[in-house]
Amino acid sequence: MALEELLEILCTEGEEVSINGLDPCANGDCYEVLSDYSARFIIRAYPGHGDPSPDFLWGVRANGQLLPFNYPYYIHNEISRNQFVTALGNWMRQNGWRYENISFTADLVSQGVKKPYYDVSIVITGTDLNFEFVYEGTDMANQVPHPFSVKNRPPVLCSGLPESPNGEGQEVETVKELLEQEIANQALDNLALPAVLYKTHFPDSSYYWAFGQELKNIPAIYQRSKRVHISSSQQSLLLEGETEGEGASVMLEEFIDRLRPAQPGNRRPVWVPVQKP
């Protein structure tokens, strides 16, 4: 399970969380930092007979542990490299890590000239897992570590909640109508506390304020940014309007009423809720 998902569960369930003396649940933002990792090195090739290499890829170290692959991979063999990409991708998905793409290439020919070595490149993009080293060598006792270089991306909005249905192929307007139906049915007496309220963005640049229990029923074509934690039915919220200086302090029940669409198809009013100290 990724750290972001663990914090999401802890914060959503209202647990007391502290990391280095700070409470991550008090953070009003919901952003993820993804990175691109690459390891590049050369290994020798045997001339003739398809130019095999005596070197294997033995493993990858990430987040302080050696990832549990059961056998080495031939660096010069494309089928073996593809098996590595599949194994790494499966392991990351099963353990809750994100990635966009994994590639493993080994080129023997450059600009039409065959070389006596392979240019090896392993690239993992758009991931929240911290890759450290890749190990290659002729046998287990002679492994050589090659470090990954990292390029951090700008923070991105959090994706859909883990419990949300798959949103692939869903139309934006259809999903927004489903969310508005959830909002229309929301009331203080059926809001499970503690709760989290999210500023929820859709691909057409529109956004809503929606509770997590509403979003869990909505196909995951949305992303989340700001969040407000609701711990009590008597909680007071400060509503800051779009006009500078505009604002009002309301109880949670009134806040829910304000956000409910007046009729089906109406968008929620634009309010920015902030937890009142």
Side-chain angles (χ1 to χ4, degrees):
M1 178 181 294
L3 177 60
E4 174 67 28
E5 293 183 4
L6 177 60
L7 287 177
E8 192 71 60
I9 293 171
L10 292 173
C11 294
T12 302
E13 297 300 325
E15 300 292 340
E16 294 293 330
V17 185
S18 179
I19 298 177
N20 295 331
L22 300 176
D23 178 11
C25 300
N27 186 354
D29 299 326
C30 185
Y31 289 94
E32 297 172 314
V33 177
L34 303 179
S35 304
D36 301 330
Y37 290 87
S38 61
R40 293 182 168 88
F41 51 93
I42 62 173
I43 61 169
R44 57 183 167 158
Y46 286 150
H49 305 291
D51 297 294
S53 169
D55 292 78
F56 297 88
L57 174 63
W58 287 91
V60 174
R61 184 177 179 86
N63 271 21
Q65 67 170 336
L66 192 64
L67 304 189
F69 303 134
N70 296 324
Y71 53 89
Y73 295 87
Y74 289 102
I75 291 178
H76 65 272
N77 186 294
E78 183 177 3
I79 294 176
S80 183
R81 297 197 300 267
N82 290 340
Q83 289 174 340
F84 165 80
V85 169
T86 299
L88 178 57
N90 289 340
W91 184 89
M92 292 180 69
R93 285 192 297 271
Q94 291 167 4
N95 288 274
W97 299 106
R98 290 184 55 185
Y99 71 91
E100 289 177 351
N101 186 61
I102 302 172
S103 66
F104 180 6
T105 60
D107 296 324
L108 189 62
V109 176
S110 175
Q111 298 179 347
V113 179
K114 184 176 287 189
K115 300 169 295 188
Y117 56 85
Y118 285 92
D119 285 314
V120 182
S121 173
I122 298 174
V123 178
I124 303 101
T125 61
T127 182
D128 52 354
L129 179 60
N130 178 29
F131 285 87
E132 300 168 21
F133 295 95
V134 56
Y135 296 90
E136 57 84 14
T138 55
D139 54 56
M140 186 174 292
N142 294 282
Q143 297 183 38
V144 179
H146 298 281
F148 280 93
S149 61
V150 58
K151 181 179 180 181
N152 293 324
R153 298 183 178 186
V156 298
L157 304 182
C158 292
S159 56
L161 292 174
E163 300 88 345
S164 296
N166 189 334
E168 185 175 353
Q170 296 282 345
E171 295 290 336
V172 174
E173 288 303 321
T174 301
V175 175
K176 288 166 61 175
E177 288 175 5
L178 291 174
L179 179 56
E180 288 172 354
Q181 291 173 12
E182 292 282 336
I183 293 169
N185 293 328
Q186 186 63 271
L188 182 62
D189 58 3
N190 60 25
L191 179 65
L193 296 175
V196 184
L197 186 68
Y198 296 100
K199 187 176 184 180
T200 307
H201 304 256
F202 283 89
D204 63 356
S205 299
S206 63
Y207 67 87
Y208 295 75
W209 285 94
F211 289 99
Q213 70 184 55
E214 297 168 349
L215 295 175
K216 290 178 182 179
N217 300 321
I218 302 302
I221 66 170
Y222 60 85
Q223 293 180 305
R224 299 165 289 135
S225 58
K226 297 292 183 180
R227 60 185 172 191
V228 177
H229 291 267
I230 310 296
S231 58
S232 167
S233 61
Q234 300 302 310
Q235 188 163 331
S236 177
L237 294 175
L238 177 64
L239 303 183
E240 295 181 346
E242 290 185 302
T243 303
E244 185 176 355
E246 178 186 357
S249 179
V250 299
M251 300 300 291
L252 178 60
E253 185 171 18
E254 182 182 349
F255 172 73
I256 293 174
D257 289 340
R258 283 174 179 262
L259 295 185
R260 185 179 296 114
Q263 59 186 11
N266 278 11
R267 291 179 56 187
R268 279 189 163 182
V270 179
W271 290 96
V272 180
V274 181
Q275 283 175 306
K276 188 177 181 182

